[in-house]
Amino acid sequence: MGDTTRLVQQVHDHGYCILEEVIPSDRVGGVCADVLGVDPAHNRADAPSNRGAVSGLINHTQSFAPYLADPRLRPLTRALLGEHVRVSFTSTIISLPGARRLKWHGDWPFNQDNAGHIPAPYPDMVAHLTSIWMLTDFTEDNGATGIVPLSHRSKAKSPPPDLDVDGELVKTVTGSAGSLIMWHGGAYHMARANTGDSVRVGLNVAY
C-alpha cells in the first residue's frame, strides 16, 4: 500500500492521520522563531487567556509556505478533497503555560456554532481538512491536541457536553517538532490545557 493510500485510509477510517518531519528537524526551529516573531499586535482580540492566535499568518511570515506543498501533502489533500483543493486558512496556535483547555468542537462546515454550516445529520463526505503543524514538540504536559477517533462519522450536531477529556475514547496527539496531524473537519477535537512550563507552538492550516 502506497503512503498516500495508507494516509487516506486512516482519515476515512479513523478521522485523522499523522505525517512526520514535514518540516525538517534542522529547519523547524527557524520557522518557529519566525512565527513567534510576528508582532503581537496582530494577535486576535478574542484569543483565550495564555493563548496566541494570528489569523492570516501567511500575510505576516512566509517561512512555512514552501512546506504547504510537501510531496506527501499534495496527493493526500487531492485524494480527499479533489483536484482543486486550496489552503483556506493559516493561523498560529500558541499555548503558554497555564492555558486552560478549550471546548470540544468540529470544524467548518460540521460545526453548528458557525454561521455557515451544513445542517445535521451530516452527509458522509470530506469537505474540510484541518492540520496542526508542530513547531515545538507536542507533549502531554504542554497541551497536545486531543481528538476522538471515529467521531467524524457521528451524526450528532455537536460533541456530547459530558465527553471526558481523559476518557478511553480520546487520543492525545503527541509528536516531535516538524510533524503534523491532519483530520476530517467533522472529527471532535480540542486544545488541551498546558500544565507544563514550556510554550507549545503550532500552525493551524486548513484545506
Side-chain angles (χ1 to χ4, degrees), residues 6-27:
R6 177 180 60 83
L7 294 170
V8 167
Q9 197 65 45
Q10 288 178 357
V11 172
H12 282 309
D13 290 349
H14 304 290
Y16 72 98
C17 65
I18 297 172
L19 287 78
E20 297 181 349
E21 280 200 75
V22 177
I23 303 178
S25 58
D26 61 343
R27 297 185 180 182

Side-chain angles (χ1 to χ4, degrees), residues 134-145:
M134 306 175 192
L135 299 187
T136 59
D137 292 345
F138 275 34
T139 69
E140 293 270 1
D141 288 344
N142 68 18
T145 304

Side-chain angles (χ1 to χ4, degrees), residues 45-66:
D46 62 347
S49 177
N50 289 326
R51 294 189 181 273
V54 175
S55 298
L57 178 67
I58 203 166
N59 295 318
H60 306 293
T61 175
Q62 290 79 50
S63 61
F64 62 91

